[in-house]
């Protein structure tokens, strides 16, 4: 036997002895146990992650539902505010129209009263002018005594007709 085959033989024997010692002190069992523990830990972590994901999905669903409810509530509030604003605007418009109607009626009353006063004033002035003209005309044509009697009767007649 040459040296290389002898070295190979001793390396093989050392490997068999090493494997025997490893099996004797239960190294494969320890390795398997460690790998099983690691696999169980990873499995537990995956299960925990799955559970957390499901909880997160549930929370997301709840928050989306709450968001939709809040959006609906906000839309309802906006709609109610618009209706109230429309009612207030209609009421203000009606009050404005009523105010304008009252002010117009009051102005028309004042105008009518001013017209009546103006007509009465014009009539009074016309009566005064007519009386003065009649007096002057009669005074020129009739003597003083007859004119005075005639003037008095004409004056009473004009006053009676105007009143």
């Amino acid at each position: 036997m040459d040296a290389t085959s002898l070295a190979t033989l001793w390396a093989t024997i050392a490997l068999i002895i090493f494997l025997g010692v490893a099996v004797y002190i239960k190294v494969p069992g320890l390795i398997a146990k460690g790998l099983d523990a690691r696999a169980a830990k990873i499995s537990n972590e995956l299960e925990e992650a799955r559970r957390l994901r499901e909880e997160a999905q549930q929370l997301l669903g709840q928050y989306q539902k709450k968001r939709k409810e809040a959006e609906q509530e906000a839309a309802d509030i906006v709609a109610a505010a618009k209706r109230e604003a429309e009612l207030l605007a209609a009421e203000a418009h009606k009050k404005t129209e009523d105010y304008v109607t009252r002010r117009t009626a009051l102005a028309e009353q004042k105008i009518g009263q001013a017209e009546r006063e103006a007509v009465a004033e014009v009539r009074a002035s016309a009566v005064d002018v007519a009386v003065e003209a009649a007096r002057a005309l009669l005074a020129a044509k009739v003597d003083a005594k007859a004119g005075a009697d005639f003037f008095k009767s004409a004056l009473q007649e004009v006053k009676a007709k105007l009143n």
Side-chain angles (χ1 to χ4, degrees):
M1 278 201 167
D2 62 356
T4 54
S5 51
L6 189 59
T8 305
L9 178 66
W10 281 111
T12 305
I13 293 173
L15 179 62
I16 291 173
I17 291 172
F18 174 73
L19 289 176
V21 170
V23 170
Y24 179 73
I25 59 171
K26 301 179 184 176
V27 169
L30 291 175
I31 292 173
K33 192 176 183 182
L35 289 176
D36 287 342
R38 182 155 173 89
K41 181 180 174 186
I42 291 172
S43 176
N44 287 340
E45 287 176 355
L46 285 174
E47 187 60 36
E48 179 70 14
R50 190 174 302 117
R51 187 183 61 77
L52 290 173
R53 182 173 173 249
E54 289 174 1
E55 286 179 13
Q57 288 290 344
Q58 289 175 350
L59 286 174
L60 178 62
Q62 290 173 354
Y63 286 128
Q64 287 176 341
K65 182 181 175 185
K66 287 180 182 179
R67 180 186 53 89
K68 286 179 183 177
E69 289 173 354
E71 287 175 351
Q72 182 62 41
E73 186 177 341
D76 292 344
I77 289 171
V78 168
K82 283 182 181 179
R83 284 191 303 272
E84 188 173 337
E86 289 171 357
L87 289 175
L88 289 174
E91 185 178 331
H93 183 68
K94 184 179 181 297
K95 285 182 178 179
T96 302
E97 286 180 356
D98 291 345
Y99 176 75
V100 168
T101 302
R102 284 193 312 270
R103 294 297 289 182
T104 302
L106 183 63
E108 287 173 354
Q109 288 175 352
K110 287 183 179 180
I111 290 171
Q113 183 179 356
E115 285 177 352
R116 287 188 296 275
E117 289 174 358
V119 166
E121 189 176 319
V122 168
R123 281 185 183 167
S125 294
V127 166
D128 289 344
V129 168
V131 167
E132 186 60 34
R135 186 189 61 77
L137 184 64
L138 290 176
K141 289 186 178 180
V142 179
D143 68 340
K145 171 109 171 91
D149 291 340
F150 185 68
F151 175 74
K152 285 182 185 177
S153 66
L155 183 61
Q156 288 174 354
E157 186 179 320
V158 169
K159 284 183 181 179
K161 285 184 181 179
L162 288 177
N163 290 333

